[in-house]
Structure formats: structure tokens, C-alpha cells
């Protein structure tokens, strides 16, 4: 089945074509240049950009796959969580195409998309075996999820305040490094000493799988004392703040691996593109005999291929969410984990 995926949950306008779980084409139009001057995503500007970008992005994906809309057999669009204005643009286009072409349409949870992106690089008949633990680390979300059976997820913990990508972005803003902050901090950290400055590592007391990252930016602000590090001091500061964020992710994930006793860990979302996180998590998982899988960096950040893939089983099963499909900015993902 050829599925058109549409993703507009935040600031990337994305479309993709996936056939029977195999990636044919994926196009992502970034809005970084629009939001860059603000150091973070401006919701109203994001939805206006989606209106401008989305149709050309869908056309480009079809061209790259050498297909036309007449070849599309089903549509999967992100329905949440995310910025409501942005989500509405994607859903409106998805519904328009579905109605005009008499196609089934399913709404997809953005977080399920991130978790399943790793399967886009595997043979269709060899997805990551279940159960696995998923760590989703992006600009809007940070959480640990247990994928038990197909379509069945439990949430072990999530951030109590900032998402880890947001922490990278805010730290980069304080350091004058621009937006998006994660890649900028990674670049600035090259050659720096991750142990140069000991930024605090927060633990959430009563909930051992939850995260808290907002203290990091406060600690950095206090360290900078209103100034900016010199060019020679910057690599150490960037490497140290990156290390603090990575440490918190690794420690909590290791605890969750021990508690769930699963054999596989999937790390997904924009921050999973971070090289330091990739190497530290690989080491920590190896010490526990756990296999760790990361999508390649372009599939870690927001894209519509993961949405098309996540929607495919429901489309194949005959589901049609139809025109009643509603955006949900706070769409929950998975039930609470009870051990
Ligand atoms: O998954 P994503 O594209 O969008 C959301 O769903 O939020 O994640 C974007 C986030 C941004 O905060 C960005 O700074 C971060 O991912 N990011 C990184 C890296 N690449 C992107 N953070 C750390 N290191 C990277 N290499
Ligand atoms: Zn995302």
C-alpha cells in the first residue's frame, strides 16, 4: 500500500511516501531561518509557513518517488501532540486530499512516529523485535516508553519541565550560538573538555523515570554571569553543558533498562542525532548487554516518513478516521507503566 505521510506538528513541513513500510521519498522543509532570530519556534509564524510550504513539499515528495496523487492509496497525518495551529494545517490538507481522492485517512501520534522511525531502515519483514524501551528526545518531548506489543505503549516517565532539545536550544541562545541549539552546541563542543565545568544533574525524587532539565539553563546563566564565554573558553562550556544533559538521559535510561529487563533500546527524536549521546548511550547499553538502535540522523528529526510508516498498519486494517479527525495539542502517548 502506498501511503502519503504528512507531518506539521512543529516547525518542519514534511511529506513522504512509504510503500508497504518501505521509504520511497521524504521531503522536509525546515523553518529554521524563520525562527532563528527568535531563538525558538514562534507558533503563529510556524502555521503561516506551513500554509506556504506544505503543498510544494507534497508535490516534491511525489516527484521524487516518481508518483502522482493518483497512485496514493492511503494518507497518514500527525494529529498530535504539537502546536495546534501547525497540526491544523497538515490535517486540513490531508482531509482535502482524502476527500477529493476517496482515500482513507488516519491520524498518527507524533511520538509513535519517532519510535518507529528506526524501522524505516530495516527490511519490511524485520522490524525491531518487541518489546523494546524507547527514549524519545526532541525539542518538544522527553520520555521513556516501553513498546510491548504492536501499537501498545506504556509511559515510564517524562520531563517535568523543559524537553531536552529545548534545554539545548536555550543553552545555545545563552551562548549566542543560534537556533536550533542542539547541532550548534555539538559543533561548539568539539575539542572541549566535558569535565571542565560541573553543571548540576537533576533527579526527580519521587518519580525515578522522570526528567528535569530546566535547572541546567539556570546553572549556565549563573555561570555566564551576564556575559558570553571567550572563543577559547566556549568549547569547554559547550562540552560541559552537553555532558550534563547527556548524563541525565543516560542515567535514567539505564535505570529503566534495569527495571524493564528488555534487550533492546531505541533512541529517537531530534536530540538522538547528538553524537555524544549516541556514543555514551551505546557504551552504557553495551555494559548491560542491551542492543541500542538509533535511526540515522535525518530520520531522528521530524519527518513524515515515520508518520506514514506508523499509520500503515491501521490503514491496511481498514481504519478511516475521516473528516472528523481532530488535532490534539496534548495527545497522550501510552498508558502509565505499572511495572
Ligand atoms: O524531533 P525534532 O526535530 O522536533 C521536535 O519534535 O521537537 O527535534 C528538534 C530538537 C531541537 O531542540 C534541536 O536542537 C535538537 O532536536 N537537535 C539536537 C541535535 N540535532 C537536533 N540536539 C542535540 N544534538 C544534535 N545534534
Ligand atoms: Zn518530533
Amino acid at each position: 500500500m502506498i501511503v502519503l505521510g504528512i507531518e506539521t506538528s512543529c516547525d518542519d513541513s514534511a511529506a513522504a511516501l512509504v510503500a508497504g513500510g518501505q521509504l520511497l521519498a521524504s521531503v522536509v522543509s525546515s523553518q529554521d531561518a524563520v525562527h532563528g532570530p527568535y531563538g525558538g519556534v514562534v507558533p503563529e509564524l510556524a502555521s503561516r509557513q506551513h500554509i506556504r510550504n506544505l503543498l510544494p513539499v507534497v508535490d516534491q515528495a511525489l516527484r521524487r518517488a516518481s508518483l502522482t496523487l493518483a497512485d496514493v492509496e492511503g494518507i497518514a497525518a500527525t494529529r498530535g501532540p504539537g502546536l495546534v495551529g501547525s497540526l491544523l494545517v497538515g490535517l486540513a490538507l490531508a482531509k482535502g486530499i482524502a476527500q477529493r481522492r476517496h482515500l482513507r485517512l488516519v491520524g498518527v501520534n507524533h511520538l509513535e512516529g519517532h519510535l518507529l522511525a528506526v524501522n524505516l531502515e530495516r527490511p519490511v519483514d524485520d522490524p525491531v523485535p518487541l518489546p523494546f524501551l524507547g527514549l524519545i528526545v526532541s525539542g518538544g518531548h522527553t520520555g521513556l516508553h516501553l513498546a510491548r506489543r504492536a501499537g501498545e505503549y506504556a509511559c515510564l516517565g517524562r520531563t517535568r519541565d523543559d524537553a531536552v532539545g529545548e534545554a539545548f536550544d536555550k543553552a545555545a541562545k545563552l551562548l549566542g550560538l543560534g537556533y536550533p541549539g542542539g547541532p550548534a552546541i555539538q559543533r561548539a563542543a568539539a575539542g572541549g573538555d566535558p569535565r571542565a565545568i560541573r553543571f548540576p544533574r537533576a533527579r526527580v525524587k519521587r518519580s525515578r523515570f522522570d526528567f528535569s532539565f530546566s535547572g541546567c539553563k539556570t546553572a549556565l546563566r549563573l555561570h555566564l554571569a551576564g556575559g558570553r564565554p571567550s572563543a577559547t573558553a566556549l568549547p569547554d562550556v559547550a562540552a560541559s553543558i552537553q555532558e550534563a544533559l547527556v548524563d541525565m538521559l543516560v542515567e535514567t535510561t539505564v535505570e529503566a533498562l534495569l527495571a524493564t529487563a528488555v534487550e533492546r533500546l531505541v533512541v529517537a527524536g531530534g536530540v538522538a542525532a547528538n553524537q555524544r549521546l549516541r556514543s555514551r548511550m551505546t557504551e552504557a547499553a553495551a555494559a548491560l548487554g542491551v542492543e541500542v538502535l538509533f535511526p540515522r540522523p535525518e530520520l531522528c528529526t521530524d519527518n513524515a516518513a515515520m508518520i506514514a510508516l506508523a499509520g500503515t498498519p491501521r490503514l491496511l486494517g481498514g481504519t478511516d478516521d475521516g473528516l472528523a479527525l481532530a488535532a490534539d495539542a496534548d495527545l497522550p502517548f501510552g498508558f502509565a507503566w505499572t511495572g
Side-chain angles (χ1 to χ4, degrees):
M1 175 183 243
I2 298 177
V3 176
L4 169 65
I6 293 178
E7 153 63 41
T8 59
S9 65
C10 189
D11 62 336
D12 290 314
S13 315
L17 290 139
V18 167
Q22 212 169 0
L23 177 57
L24 302 180
S26 172
V27 175
V28 180
S29 167
S30 156
Q31 302 182 7
D32 289 349
V34 174
H35 304 286
Y38 304 93
V41 177
V42 183
E44 182 55 31
L45 292 181
S47 22
R48 285 190 220 169
Q49 284 299 118
H50 286 308
I51 292 171
R52 272 191 209 117
N53 297 344
L54 196 53
L55 273 173
V57 164
V58 170
D59 280 341
Q60 202 181 341
L62 286 166
R63 263 199 312 278
R64 281 201 200 159
S66 304
L67 297 173
T68 70
L69 269 187
D71 300 307
V72 172
E73 296 166 294
I75 304 181
T78 305
R79 65 171 291 232
L83 301 171
V84 73
S86 292
L87 290 165
L88 285 172
V89 178
L91 287 186
L93 179 64
K95 287 178 190 177
I97 299 174
Q99 196 177 36
R100 177 73 181 81
R101 295 266 159 196
H102 307 292
L103 295 172
R104 286 201 294 275
L105 163 68
V106 293
V108 172
N109 189 309
H110 180 80
L111 300 179
E112 182 177 20
H114 271 307
L115 269 195
L116 299 182
V118 69
N119 285 333
L120 285 164
E121 298 176 275
R122 297 171 68 97
V124 173
D125 54 1
D126 181 32
V128 177
L130 298 164
F132 64 78
L133 184 70
L135 171 68
I136 302 178
V137 281
S138 74
H141 311 278
T142 304
L144 279 161
H145 302 269
L146 180 65
R148 276 207 253 239
R149 279 182 280 276
E152 192 186 308
Y153 306 94
C155 178
L156 280 82
R158 63 173 79 109
T159 183
R160 291 296 183 99
D161 39 58
D162 292 348
V164 66
E166 197 178 349
F168 270 103
D169 293 336
K170 287 178 177 171
K173 194 173 177 182
L174 286 170
L175 293 170
L177 293 177
Y179 176 85
I185 293 212
Q186 177 174 302
R187 276 193 301 275
D193 176 5
R195 285 172 305 273
I197 305 147
R198 177 85 194 164
F199 290 112
R201 276 75 167 151
R203 295 305 303 260
V204 179
K205 274 214 183 74
R206 250 169 255 105
S207 185
R208 63 193 173 122
F209 303 125
D210 280 350
F211 302 89
S212 168
F213 298 105
S214 65
C216 245
K217 116 201 122 201
T218 312
L220 177 61
R221 185 180 293 126
L222 291 173
H223 175 81
L224 295 175
R228 293 254 168 94
S230 66
T232 45
L234 177 64
D236 280 354
V237 181
S240 299
I241 201 81
Q242 174 174 265
E243 198 68 1
L245 294 169
V246 167
D247 263 350
M248 288 188 265
L249 292 172
V250 172
E251 264 176 46
T252 307
T253 304
V254 163
E255 275 204 36
L257 285 170
L258 292 170
T260 52
V262 293
E263 290 169 13
R264 277 166 214 90
L265 168 69
V266 171
V267 186
V271 182
N274 185 272
Q275 289 304 330
R276 185 71 182 159
L277 176 63
R278 289 169 96 97
S279 62
R280 289 280 317 281
M281 199 64 95
T282 304
E283 258 170 45
L288 299 176
V290 169
E291 182 189 9
V292 57
L293 301 113
F294 300 90
R296 72 178 125 96
E298 313 86 81
L299 294 174
C300 282
T301 44
D302 286 349
N303 64 84
M306 65 186 197
I307 302 304
L309 182 76
T312 295
R314 289 182 62 223
L315 286 166
L316 282 173
T319 302
D320 183 8
D321 292 333
L323 297 184
L325 178 61
D328 183 347
D330 301 314
L331 187 64
F333 180 52
F335 46 84
W337 185 73
T338 48

